Amino acid sequence: MKLVLYGSFPASEADRVARHLTSNWEVVPVFNEAPAQDKRERLADAEVMVTSVYRSRDPPAPKLRLLQCSSTGTERIDLEHLPRGCIVCNVHGHEIAIAEYAICAVLDWAIGYRSLAAAFHDGSWTLAEWVDGPNHGEAFGKTLALLGFGRIGREIAIRAKALGMSVAALSAWRSAPPDPTLVDRAYRAGEWRAFAEAADFLVVSCPLTAQTRGMIDAAWFAAMKPGAVVINVGRGPIIDEAALHAALAERRIRGATIDVWYKYPPASGERVRASRFAFHELPNVVMTRHASAHTEETWERRFRAIAENLEAFAQGRSLANVISDGGGKIDPSGRGQRESGDIA
């Protein structure tokens, strides 16, 4: 069976994928810089594709039976460009790394250890600096508010509870009721104001859907505490871009750690700004390049799970995390099997 790893990221992991495969596969990596004709020829008879980007501008794959997304988000997969009957699945495995990133951000804002270290830059100190220097904060007892309580939200909550934090979560709670050992206060979408008011740290970990796009707007920031911090590990457009910048620039909230953005660099290698606003000029913003999940352990978990799904397909077994069944049934959350992390 012909398997095309389409795009430089999955193509670069060809050896890792092949290591976990046991059936008879022809594995064909296709990098972004491959000539258009090569892409066209390799997709012409592909039966299975692993990719996170497949647009209408990409060559057709008329024999495709399974598109296995190499990420959780499927917003860059054009389902209309796929042949009818093609199943689409996504993959997870990133929740541990993202949870650790989110907790790191919480501790960074609570303790301010970089500022503490900077004050000791020359290795000397005075009694006054030791005794009368500024105090730092604690995460203990603070409220961590999770927008979305799926795989990522749950892992964050486990770690937050270990720090003695109070956990609030806003979710639709469709697939499961809130776990009382992890969630102290549960909210639904209509209770967003009380949820926003409670947050010392607001962590965005829900998927981007029609319902969540722009969900956090100026009204949310007006409701939040002046000392609140926003940490976005979900998708940039869940937070209104202009409202976020204004809230930070005008110090209506304390700060933000932002890992997900509004503009992403193209495959051509062009350098682009992540936002139309100059977040990088604000002193109360920590910016990272959508790297919260980028660990060796994430990639191993993820590509092992992808290979397991490919093997299930080859052997006629049930597939995990089906987004579209090939007959028009679509899970718009991009999560595959429904989770209580869905907001709408």
Side-chain angles (χ1 to χ4, degrees), residues 16-323:
R16 195 195 303 261
V17 173
R19 188 166 69 241
H20 293 297
L21 296 174
T22 58
S23 299
N24 186 24
W25 292 92
E26 176 191 0
V27 180
V28 181
V30 178
F31 289 84
N32 291 335
E33 58 270 21
Q37 182 60 32
D38 287 356
K39 292 180 179 179
R40 190 173 297 107
E41 291 174 356
R42 291 168 186 174
L43 289 181
D45 59 350
E47 297 170 85
V48 178
M49 183 195 309
V50 174
T51 188
S52 61
V53 183
Y54 186 60
R55 309 282 202 187
S56 58
R57 62 176 177 265
D58 291 300
K63 296 183 179 181
L64 203 64
R65 298 163 55 201
L66 170 66
L67 188 150
Q68 170 65 62
C69 191
S70 54
S71 62
T72 300
T74 58
E75 64 270 16
R76 296 183 294 173
I77 304 296
D78 185 351
L79 297 177
E80 297 299 321
H81 192 42
L82 298 174
R84 185 161 183 82
C86 179
I87 300 169
V88 179
C89 300
N90 71 349
V91 68
H92 303 283
H94 58 321
E95 49 269 24
I96 292 173
I98 294 178
E100 291 185 358
Y101 173 101
I103 293 299
C104 176
V106 167
L107 293 174
D108 184 17
W109 284 101
I111 298 172
Y113 56 85
R114 289 178 297 168
S115 297
L116 293 174
F120 213 25
H121 67 282
D122 65 352
S124 64
W125 55 342
T126 66
L127 181 62
E129 288 171 336
W130 178 29
V131 175
D132 301 322
N135 295 326
H136 62 77
E138 297 180 352
F140 182 86
K142 304 300 189 300
T143 295
L144 180 71
L146 291 164
L147 181 60
F149 200 77
R151 289 175 172 86
I152 296 171
R154 181 178 179 81
E155 291 294 334
I156 295 172
I158 290 170
R159 290 154 178 78
K161 294 299 289 183
L163 292 173
M165 301 185 77
S166 175
V167 174
L170 189 153
S171 172
W173 308 110
R174 269 192 294 265
S175 59
D179 183 344
T181 66
L182 295 178
V183 178
D184 298 289
R185 287 168 286 173
Y187 298 84
R188 295 182 183 273
E191 302 170 302
W192 68 266
R193 187 177 298 278
F195 174 75
E197 290 173 346
D200 292 305
F201 299 92
L202 172 62
V203 180
V204 180
S205 62
C206 61
L208 177 64
T209 67
Q211 291 75 29
T212 63
R213 183 178 292 273
M215 181 178 184
I216 299 179
D217 57 14
W220 278 63
F221 293 117
M224 292 175 72
K225 302 172 184 177
V229 172
V230 172
I231 300 166
N232 193 358
V233 293
R235 286 292 185 267
I238 294 169
I239 307 179
D240 181 272
E241 187 177 9
L244 175 59
H245 185 268
L248 290 165
E250 297 167 15
R251 297 299 182 105
R252 285 188 271 120
I253 60 172
R254 182 184 174 197
T257 294
I258 310 172
D259 187 51
V260 287
W261 292 97
Y262 301 92
K263 295 180 182 179
Y264 279 76
S268 63
E270 177 187 357
R271 194 174 185 87
V272 299
R273 288 276 288 270
S275 169
R276 58 195 173 97
F277 296 98
F279 283 97
H280 62 284
E281 295 179 356
L282 299 178
N284 56 343
V285 177
V286 177
M287 301 169 62
T288 56
R289 299 188 183 97
H290 202 147
S292 57
H294 289 196
T295 68
E296 176 64 23
E297 293 84 355
T298 291
W299 305 144
E300 183 61 25
R301 284 189 294 266
R302 180 165 286 182
F303 282 100
R304 183 171 60 247
I306 286 173
E308 289 171 357
N309 227 23
L310 298 180
E311 285 298 306
F313 182 77
Q315 298 166 21
R317 295 184 280 110
S318 297
L319 299 174
N321 302 312
V322 175
I323 298 299

